[in-house]
């Protein structure tokens, strides 16, 4: 396909984790923990904290917390809708979307067990085509970011980044899930596209395979560690045997030297006896 993943990897994503400025104020750390990411937090951007994207971008007056590692990776603007039909009206992209979802699922499953893979239906500039993949572990997120950064998909360079979003229940628009959102696709909460039962089944299957692969790799590493420990013990015993043999040889040489001295002394005594008799 002309949309296949291409190009080489690159460095991991992310930036500074934390916020500028000190805490302080009434309530200290406990109060900050309760208001972090809420509208009462006057320092950090609540939308970026909950959704991983903000409509103001870098012009936002609040801090965007960018983690150095996470289970969740955001790939901005990865999904591209097909163009309008001959009549200028939008076309049904159901099959196009299903093919896209299956293709990226096959690719992302190579980096570890996937817990969630969400593609947004929002049309806002900061959310359109965004893909969120949540792995079982942070190692999966790191492998994904490192492997995809700098590669191309559909003619566009991928710029994956770590995201703080791990609870999609808080990020998604509940009214959209109930077909009651009045803001339409320009809503600032996630409008997550629904996937078919077949794709959900495939995701579970790929997750089981990835978990089995991780367990197999873990067992292989354990066997290798045991093999190295046995090798270290064997080398240690060999060194001890060599030291012991060397010591025995030195003792044997010393004892042989002592015996030779005694024998030489005895020979000298026998030589002197006949001369005294004469």
């Amino acid at each position: 396909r002309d949309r296949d993943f291409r190009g080489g990897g690159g460095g991991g994503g992310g930036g500074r984790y934390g916020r500028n400025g000190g805490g302080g104020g009434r309530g200290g750390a406990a109060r900050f923990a309760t208001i972090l990411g809420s509208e009462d937090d006057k320092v950090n951007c609540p939308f970026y904290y909950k959704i991983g994207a903000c409509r103001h971008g870098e012009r936002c007056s609040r801090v965007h917390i960018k983690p150095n590692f996470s289970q969740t990776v955001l790939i901005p603007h990865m999904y591209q809708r097909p163009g309008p039909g001959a009549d200028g009206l939008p076309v049904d992209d159901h099959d196009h979307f299903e093919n896209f979802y299956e293709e990226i699922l096959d690719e992302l499953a190579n980096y570890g067990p996937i817990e969630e893979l969400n593609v947004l239906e929002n049309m806002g500039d900061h959310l359109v085509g965004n893909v969120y993949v949540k792995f079982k572990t942070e190692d999966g997120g790191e492998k994904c970011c490192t492997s995809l950064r700098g590669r191309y998909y559909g003619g566009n360079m991928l710029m994956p980044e770590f995201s703080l979003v791990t609870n999609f229940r808080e990020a998604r628009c509940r009214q959209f899930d109930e077909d009651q959102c009045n803001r339409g696709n320009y809503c600032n909460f996630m409008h997550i596209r629904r996937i078919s039962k077949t794709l959900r089944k495939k995701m579970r299957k790929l997750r089981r395979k990835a978990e089995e692969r991780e367990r197999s790799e873990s067992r292989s590493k354990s066997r290798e560690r045991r093999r190295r420990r046995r090798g270290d013990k064997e080398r240690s015993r060999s060194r001890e045997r060599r030291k012991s043999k060397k010591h025995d040889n030195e003792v044997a040489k010393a004892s042989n030297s002592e015996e030779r001295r005694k024998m030489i002394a005895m020979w000298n005594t026998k030589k002197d006896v006949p001369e005294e008799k004469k």
Side-chain angles (χ1 to χ4, degrees), residues 41-58:
D41 186 354
K42 303 302 180 185
V43 177
N44 299 296
C45 176
F47 275 101
Y48 195 88
Y49 183 80
K50 289 180 181 178
I51 301 173
C54 169
R55 63 190 178 95
H56 299 293
E58 297 300 326

Side-chain angles (χ1 to χ4, degrees), residues 113-177:
I114 296 174
E115 291 192 349
E116 292 191 56
L117 176 58
N118 296 319
V119 181
L120 301 192
E121 197 170 282
N122 304 66
M123 295 299 293
D125 291 340
H126 60 301
L127 295 176
V128 61
N130 285 4
V131 174
Y132 293 79
V133 53
K134 180 183 176 184
F135 291 92
K136 184 179 179 181
T137 64
E138 291 174 352
D139 286 341
E142 184 176 5
K143 288 177 184 177
C144 176
C145 246
T146 303
S147 299
L148 293 187
R149 178 168 286 273
R151 292 173 65 182
Y152 285 82
Y153 185 85
N156 296 320
M157 181 183 287
L158 301 180
M159 297 297 290
E161 58 189 61
F162 295 115
S163 175
L164 288 175
V165 181
T166 54
N167 185 356
F168 287 92
R169 292 184 61 187
E170 291 295 323
R172 69 193 307 148
C173 176
R174 296 183 182 87
Q175 294 174 334
F176 171 77
D177 292 339

Side-chain angles (χ1 to χ4, degrees), residues 30-200:
R31 172 171 168 75
F32 174 71
T34 59
I35 66 172
L36 178 64
S38 69
E39 290 296 333
D40 294 328
D41 186 354
K42 303 302 180 185
V43 177
N44 299 296
C45 176
F47 275 101
Y48 195 88
Y49 183 80
K50 289 180 181 178
I51 301 173
C54 169
R55 63 190 178 95
H56 299 293
E58 297 300 326
R59 295 179 288 104
C60 183
S61 60
R62 300 188 188 183
V63 175
H64 291 170
I65 301 176
K66 297 182 179 181
N68 288 323
F69 49 84
S70 176
Q71 293 171 256
T72 305
V73 174
L74 163 61
I75 311 172
H77 318 308
M78 186 178 187
Y79 176 65
Q80 299 176 19
R81 291 172 177 266
D87 55 1
L89 298 176
V91 298
D92 182 9
D93 68 337
H94 177 266
D95 293 339
H96 176 80
F97 171 74
E98 292 274 306
N99 291 334
F100 165 82
Y101 194 96
E102 185 174 11
E103 189 173 21
I104 65 169
L105 178 59
D106 287 334
E107 172 69 20
L108 297 173
N110 294 322
Y111 309 127
I114 296 174
E115 291 192 349
E116 292 191 56
L117 176 58
N118 296 319
V119 181
L120 301 192
E121 197 170 282
N122 304 66
M123 295 299 293
D125 291 340
H126 60 301
L127 295 176
V128 61
N130 285 4
V131 174
Y132 293 79
V133 53
K134 180 183 176 184
F135 291 92
K136 184 179 179 181
T137 64
E138 291 174 352
D139 286 341
E142 184 176 5
K143 288 177 184 177
C144 176
C145 246
T146 303
S147 299
L148 293 187
R149 178 168 286 273
R151 292 173 65 182
Y152 285 82
Y153 185 85
N156 296 320
M157 181 183 287
L158 301 180
M159 297 297 290
E161 58 189 61
F162 295 115
S163 175
L164 288 175
V165 181
T166 54
N167 185 356
F168 287 92
R169 292 184 61 187
E170 291 295 323
R172 69 193 307 148
C173 176
R174 296 183 182 87
Q175 294 174 334
F176 171 77
D177 292 339
E178 298 169 358
D179 297 322
Q180 296 178 357
C181 182
N182 296 324
R183 299 183 181 88
N185 284 337
Y186 287 91
C187 177
N188 279 322
F189 285 94
M190 290 185 184
H191 287 191
I192 298 175
R193 292 200 62 154
R194 299 174 179 89
I195 60 173
S196 64
K197 198 175 292 185
T198 303
L199 287 178
R200 286 196 296 270

